[in-house]
Amino acid sequence: MSIDTAKGILGDATVAELQSALRGTVVRPGDPEYDQARAVWNGAHDKHPALVVRCAGTADVLRAVEFARSQDLLVAVRGGAHSIAGFSTCDDGIVIDLSGMRAAHVRPRERRVTAQAGTTWGDLDHETQAFGLATTGGLVSTTGIGGFTLGGGVGWLLRRHGLACDNLTAADVVTADGRLVHADAEEHADLFWALRGGGGNFGVVTSLEYELHPVGPQVLSGLIVYPLEQARQVVTGWRDAVADAPDDLTTLINLTTAPPVPFLPEEVHGTRVVVVAGMYAGEAADGEKAVAPLRALGTPIADLMQPMPYTAMQQLLDPLWTAGAHNYFTSTFVEPTDGVFDTALELHTTTPTPFSEIHLHQLGGAFGRMPADATAFSQRSPGLLVNVIARSPDSADFDAHVAWARGARDTIAAHGQGTTYVNFTGETSPGTVRASYPGDVHERLVRVKDAYDPTNLFRLNQNITPSATS
């Protein structure tokens, strides 16, 4: 069966030649597994690629990139398939699917781990925690390590150990011209700088090496749920309580709707609440002192801040973030001022669905001490990252939900400089890219793009447009 693409027709013989060069498989429209192969985590993106190449290793990635270039196909790269903006799928092009590449090798004496790019954070945590080690990972364990790290990577170890990209020590990358290059601080150092926050602009990352740190196996972590009527005293009290908190403590405020879970009284199910969530990465005895002020912000509905396995905290939110729902994220960096809090709390009362939320992420600590020019993630000075989420189980009125999120973002962003975080955005505009890479960071990223992808083969991302195509 020939396949129509935006650039022409792929004949059976052409596709068969690709398949013969792979250890993995090619999935085409009409194949029994096609609908499963094309599906991504975010139900808002329902695309129909011409081919899904399920890679079994780096050699398959090399062949897939060569094929895409020779056939002039749009390229989507998929790791964990969580991409909020839908970059891990496309219409008519080729999906290079890395999800079958999930091997991870821990070197505990060196405190390093090397993992293939299809690895999820659940996979990686499982391997590293066997040695009492971890690195900053996603808040949902089904998230892939690749896109998360390349865009920055905000997690529960952010204040103790920085972003995921801060802990990236090396990466193997298949570039647009079909080369496999190894990038670290010494080799392809310009590319290594760009990979640490610059997204998937520069090639297909096939493996990532991280620095590891002693964490767990038990950590003091969890949630404290407060009623809406105490919201302002909770958020302002939280700001004061964490202002001088030790780096071992990373917290966030979640303005959300109480789900129907057994640890909450039935009478609060479906009501708007304020959740303080956090992790203390050091000794539990010290953590009790650090989190005590969080327990005294008001009268909690539920206090679930307790010692638990690190892996349990990493998976705590998974049941609330299953695949298939429609999701739209958008973000802005601001300072934790009264004006920001008042605005966020007012917007909390207008969330369009029970699944829509506003997150206020505490920054600082190791995140803030990283020199701004050390990585492409240069926004190190703000005290707060706000993530506005529109989420719905289906497509009904989803455009209106997205409009609410954008309006909420703009209203909160008016209190700051209008900067944003690439991993927390569903938008794909040049303005979003410039808001993510302010100052001369964008110009430096363009120079790296010119060197490694001058024709913009890898453009399904928060795109850094090369000079030749701008």
Side-chain angles (χ1 to χ4, degrees):
M1 178 187 72
S2 299
I3 306 168
D4 290 319
T5 73
K7 299 292 184 178
I9 296 176
L10 294 176
D12 287 347
T14 302
V15 177
E17 184 178 358
L18 171 62
Q19 177 63 79
S20 68
L22 302 175
R23 188 160 56 94
T25 59
V26 177
V27 182
R28 300 189 285 175
D31 289 346
E33 64 269 41
Y34 177 73
D35 282 338
Q36 185 275 330
R38 70 181 183 86
V40 294
W41 178 84
N42 187 358
H45 305 291
D46 183 22
K47 303 291 186 179
H48 292 78
L51 299 173
V52 177
V53 177
R54 289 173 158 171
C55 298
T58 300
D60 286 358
V61 177
L62 288 164
R63 300 291 86 76
V65 170
E66 291 170 358
F67 184 85
R69 189 176 64 248
S70 68
Q71 300 297 323
D72 197 17
L73 292 173
L74 180 64
V75 175
V77 181
R78 177 183 302 166
H82 269 232
S83 173
I84 297 299
F87 297 137
S88 54
T89 187
C90 61
D91 282 325
D92 299 326
I94 182 172
V95 173
I96 301 177
D97 186 352
L98 311 177
S99 62
M101 299 169 54
R102 296 171 72 162
H105 174 58
V106 182
R107 305 188 300 282
R109 293 181 63 181
E110 300 173 41
R111 292 185 180 172
R112 292 288 189 274
V113 60
T114 301
Q116 291 182 303
T119 305
T120 67
W121 284 107
D123 298 332
L124 198 70
D125 292 338
H126 175 78
E127 297 296 328
T128 61
Q129 277 291 282
F131 306 97
L133 300 171
T135 197
T136 307
L139 301 181
V140 177
S141 74
T142 57
T143 305
I145 65 172
F148 178 90
T149 300
L150 298 179
V154 172
W156 294 122
L157 296 176
L158 176 142
R159 286 174 43 80
R160 176 73 273 169
H161 298 301
L163 296 165
C165 74
D166 299 340
N167 291 278
L168 185 69
T169 54
D172 289 340
V173 187
V174 175
T175 59
D177 59 1
R179 291 179 297 149
L180 177 67
V181 302
H182 181 78
D184 58 22
E186 303 297 328
E187 188 177 359
H188 295 280
D190 55 342
L191 176 60
F192 179 61
W193 171 86
L195 293 173
R196 299 170 82 193
N201 272 282
F202 312 101
V204 183
V205 174
T206 58
S207 73
L208 304 96
E209 180 189 79
Y210 298 93
E211 181 179 6
L212 298 173
H213 312 277
V215 176
Q218 294 283 312
V219 292
L220 181 63
S221 56
L223 314 172
I224 305 173
V225 184
Y226 290 97
L228 182 63
E229 56 266 26
Q230 298 175 21
R232 197 175 194 285
Q233 75 181 62
V234 169
V235 296
T236 56
W238 167 76
R239 173 187 60 193
D240 297 340
V242 302
D244 298 316
D247 290 354
D248 278 322
L249 182 66
T250 297
T251 63
L252 64 83
I253 291 282
N254 184 3
L255 305 179
T256 187
T257 299
V261 290
F263 59 79
L264 293 177
E266 286 189 16
E267 60 267 24
V268 305
H269 293 176
T271 67
R272 289 183 171 89
V273 293
V274 180
V275 178
V276 181
M279 174 188 289
Y280 188 84
E283 294 295 328
D286 298 327
E288 291 290 351
K289 180 180 178 181
V291 304
L294 304 180
R295 293 188 162 114
L297 299 175
T299 303
I301 298 170
D303 182 349
L304 302 169
M305 188 75 69
Q306 58 193 352
M308 67 177 72
Y310 173 78
T311 53
M313 184 58 182
Q314 287 290 91
Q315 298 169 26
L316 189 68
L317 302 179
D318 288 5
L320 302 177
W321 294 93
T322 53
H326 285 53
N327 295 269
Y328 175 85
F329 288 13
T330 188
S331 65
T332 189
F333 290 98
V334 291
E335 297 302 326
T337 64
D338 286 350
V340 166
F341 289 153
D342 289 343
T343 300
L345 291 173
E346 182 178 352
L347 290 165
H348 179 33
T349 66
T350 69
T351 48
T353 74
F355 315 100
S356 299
E357 302 177 339
I358 300 173
H359 297 174
L360 311 175
H361 292 261
Q362 175 196 11
L363 301 177
F367 165 88
R369 288 193 296 272
M370 176 66 74
D373 61 353
T375 70
F377 194 113
S378 63
Q379 301 179 73
R380 302 291 178 160
S381 60
L384 203 65
L385 171 61
V386 180
N387 183 20
V388 182
I389 300 170
R391 181 173 170 85
S392 174
D394 52 42
S395 61
D397 298 320
F398 189 64
D399 288 346
H401 305 336
V402 170
W404 168 83
R406 289 175 175 165
R409 185 270 325 278
D410 289 345
T411 303
I412 296 171
H415 294 273
Q417 301 300 314
T419 53
T420 192
Y421 170 40
V422 289
N423 279 358
F424 286 171
T425 180
E427 297 164 346
T428 59
S429 68
T432 302
V433 175
R434 294 310 296 263
S436 302
Y437 304 112
D440 61 358
V441 175
H442 184 265
E443 284 68 33
R444 186 175 175 184
L445 286 169
V446 170
R447 292 195 295 273
V448 179
K449 182 75 169 181
D450 288 346
Y452 292 92
D453 185 19
T455 64
N456 211 13
L457 178 68
F458 303 109
R459 57 188 179 274
L460 281 182
N461 39 54
Q462 300 295 351
N463 194 232
I464 305 297
T465 307
S467 300
T469 61
S470 61

